Amino acid sequence: MSRFSLSLYNRILWLLNRVESIVSNIWSVTLGRLIFVKILGIRDATVEVATMKFVRQRTTIPIPRVLAVNSLISHHQWKTYSQDNRDAVLAQLRNYISQLREIGPPPQYPPYICNILGGPIMDHRLCVNHPYGPYRDEEQMNLQRRQGFSVAQFVEIANIPEEFATEIRESHDLRHPIVFTHNDIAMRNIMVSGDRVTGLIDWECAGWLPAHWEYVKATWTDFDAEEWVRDLREFIPPFDLEARADELIGWSRSWEPRLDL
């Protein structure tokens, strides 16, 4: 590699590091007509691109048009917003989540738990190894969460006290409607200009999932944001029992045989 090429390479690395260092919590847009770049690494964007197009056609949610697959967005900390600003943002998000839940599954698919192409869900909470599913129903999805064990076997292996095991048992006995779910609601995926939501991004994890899963996933943020977790209840229907049970279970890995239909 020439000295010039090495210098250019180092500058690119420096720029990427700078981009990653400023991207956190809430995505913020100030000019409104920029081209944003989302960095996917080696992941295939086919499902996410298809999902974004699908939702754009069926809702008024402001989803960016996909020109390329990358990401470059600045941000504001949620804590800097006044209560009036927060209320305005939360009201918009509540409307968007409601619209998503009104979308029915495509006629070619039964009400499976799957992405919009009928395939596996990209969700590291369900499986940290790779996309998993699709699931025949919620019972099968819960079985995946328990690594293929019964509730009794799982709580014994995981050494979960009986008073907490009851929450897992009760939660996994419930059956929820299957609704269209963003499945990665987090500050880093909400674009705003002031208190106006200008985009909801990162649709690669979206699909049809049990109604409680949007809230359960949203409570698992990648930073200490108690105020945000509290505010989730203002725009995503809360499922506290299910969230507590899922916290006890933790992250899932794949197991054999696979659950694919």
Side-chain angles (χ1 to χ4, degrees):
M1 182 180 293
S2 68
R3 181 175 300 178
F4 172 79
S5 297
L6 181 60
S7 175
L8 178 60
Y9 176 74
N10 288 334
R11 284 179 176 273
I12 292 173
L13 286 182
W14 177 87
L15 178 59
L16 290 176
N17 287 333
R18 286 288 298 164
V19 168
E20 291 182 355
S21 70
I22 64 173
V23 175
S24 63
N25 303 355
I26 286 187
W27 300 88
S28 173
V29 168
T30 56
L31 299 181
R33 294 182 179 273
L34 299 176
I35 296 177
F36 299 98
V37 180
K38 177 179 178 183
I39 302 172
L40 282 178
I42 62 174
R43 288 179 294 172
D44 183 5
T46 303
V47 172
E48 182 173 12
V49 171
T51 300
M52 294 173 74
K53 181 178 179 181
F54 177 84
V55 177
R56 280 184 63 90
Q57 293 172 342
R58 290 163 174 79
T59 73
T60 62
I61 298 173
I63 301 172
R65 295 182 182 278
V66 179
L67 302 179
V69 182
N70 294 302
S71 170
L72 174 61
I73 307 176
S74 61
H75 72 280
H76 288 300
Q77 298 286 343
W78 183 245
K79 64 177 61 176
T80 67
Y81 277 68
S82 69
Q83 190 59 53
D84 286 344
N85 291 146
R86 291 186 184 190
D87 289 344
V89 171
L90 295 174
Q92 293 167 79
L93 294 174
R94 183 164 54 249
N95 176 39
Y96 298 150
I97 295 298
S98 177
Q99 289 188 52
L100 287 179
R101 288 170 172 255
E102 293 174 359
I103 301 175
Q108 67 267 33
Y109 304 139
Y112 296 149
I113 297 172
C114 60
N115 66 35
I116 69 160
L117 301 179
I121 300 286
M122 169 65 77
D123 187 334
H124 295 300
R125 189 73 180 156
L126 292 175
C127 181
V128 299
N129 307 89
H130 43 65
Y132 220 76
Y135 303 101
R136 183 174 55 246
D137 50 32
E138 187 174 355
E139 181 179 4
Q140 196 178 57
M141 175 176 157
N142 288 338
L143 188 62
Q144 161 67 17
R145 295 293 290 119
R146 302 191 307 266
Q147 304 284 278
F149 296 108
S150 68
V151 173
Q153 291 171 326
F154 181 83
V155 298
E156 181 179 359
I157 292 171
N159 197 27
I160 297 175
E162 179 57 32
E163 61 267 28
F164 298 119
T166 298
E167 294 192 331
I168 296 177
R169 191 174 296 109
E170 291 178 354
S171 173
H172 282 201
D173 281 343
L174 297 173
R175 294 296 174 263
H176 304 83
I178 305 301
V179 298
F180 195 75
T181 303
H182 179 277
N183 199 26
D184 198 10
I185 295 294
M187 288 183 171
R188 64 184 179 275
N189 292 329
I190 300 169
M191 298 167 58
V192 298
S193 178
D195 60 6
R196 182 172 65 90
V197 177
T198 60
L200 188 58
I201 65 173
D202 214 353
W203 291 87
E204 65 183 330
C205 300
W208 281 275
L209 288 146
H212 69 290
W213 196 248
E214 190 85 89
Y215 180 76
V216 168
K217 272 295 296 296
T219 60
W220 283 89
T221 54
D222 55 358
F223 49 86
D224 184 13
E226 293 183 4
E227 294 181 24
W228 173 250
V229 173
R230 179 201 66 198
D231 288 336
L232 290 174
R233 307 175 69 85
E234 299 298 320
F235 67 94
I236 303 176
F239 290 86
D240 294 322
L241 171 63
E242 293 87 336
R244 290 194 304 270
D246 195 77
E247 183 177 0
L248 291 166
I249 293 172
W251 303 88
S252 292
R253 295 184 180 275
S254 59
W255 61 283
E256 299 298 337
R258 287 178 59 86
L259 295 178
D260 297 41
L261 296 172

